[in-house]
Amino acid sequence: KMLKGARREKKTVMQIAEFYTNAFFSDMAKLNIRMPDVVEPATNCIDRYIDMVTVLLDKGYAYEAGGNLYFDTSKLKEYYVFNNFKEDDLAVGVREGVEEDMQKRNKCDFVLWFTKSKFEDQELKWESPWGVGYPGWHIECSCISMKHLGEYLDIHCGGIDNAFPHHTNEIAQSEAYT
């Protein structure tokens, strides 16, 4: 979506991100919502993502398949901790508009780092031990949270639409990491 917007507006992806970040903060000010103490762009923490994926690989919680690195949910005692989800009640591994990933060992596994994806024209990519690629969304949130809040969170906010898979996957990889 960002790349499409950048092409449409004849700007870079980072310029599009900056525009919408500024618009969001402007809307917050109009609503008299205080600015957070810390605003950390996900692009600032690439080394942290690579470190976390490396540790998960070393601990046996991650694996490489088809060029991507995945979190292995079968290694956990309990995966659906958050909100008491039952595996059979969830549409796992496929979002609307995204094809099923046949590289995964288990349908609940999720990508930690992409080097191969259907988004080959992804503009933001970085060097990693596994090749040029980019982090998965869940790893970004875990690393940024730990950087600024430590290993233990008292509260994690978000809509119910983020409970699964996003918050569930954050919990899984963060607990495996720590």
Side-chain angles (χ1 to χ4, degrees), residues 12-166:
T12 67
V13 167
M14 292 305 291
Q15 287 171 322
I16 295 294
E18 182 179 9
F19 172 83
Y20 283 103
T21 299
N22 292 339
F24 174 75
F25 289 136
S26 174
D27 290 346
M28 285 179 53
K30 290 173 191 169
L31 294 168
N32 201 28
I33 298 172
R34 289 182 21 212
M35 282 289 291
D37 294 334
V38 176
V39 176
E40 180 79 69
T43 54
N44 284 3
C45 298
I46 301 303
D47 290 342
R48 288 181 177 272
Y49 311 145
I50 291 170
D51 176 65
M52 184 180 233
V53 174
T54 300
V55 169
L56 292 171
L57 280 165
D58 291 346
K59 287 183 164 187
Y61 285 100
Y63 62 93
E64 186 277 331
N68 295 327
L69 288 108
Y70 295 87
F71 186 87
D72 187 349
T73 57
S74 72
K75 301 292 184 179
L76 301 172
K77 290 179 186 171
E78 187 175 17
Y79 173 57
Y80 298 112
V81 176
F82 195 72
N83 205 30
N84 294 321
F85 283 119
K86 304 280 188 278
E87 183 175 350
D88 293 340
D89 296 336
L90 302 170
V92 180
V94 181
R95 287 191 330 251
E96 186 177 330
V98 178
E99 296 172 20
E100 185 173 0
D101 185 345
M102 303 306 290
Q103 301 293 330
K104 299 188 302 185
R105 292 180 185 166
N106 311 294
K107 71 177 184 174
C108 299
D109 293 354
F110 53 93
V111 179
L112 299 166
W113 186 270
F114 291 93
T115 60
K116 303 282 187 220
S117 81
K118 74 177 222 170
F119 306 110
E120 287 302 318
D121 58 353
Q122 169 80 4
E123 187 172 304
L124 300 177
K125 292 183 181 181
W126 295 268
E127 287 290 335
S128 78
W130 318 288
V132 175
Y134 57 97
W137 178 35
H138 316 304
I139 203 86
E140 292 176 350
C141 291
S142 288
C143 289
I144 292 170
S145 296
M146 282 190 248
K147 177 180 179 181
H148 295 287
L149 303 171
E151 293 181 0
Y152 303 97
L153 301 179
D154 294 89
I155 188 167
H156 192 136
C157 298
I160 191 64
D161 58 318
N162 281 334
F164 182 84
H166 187 58

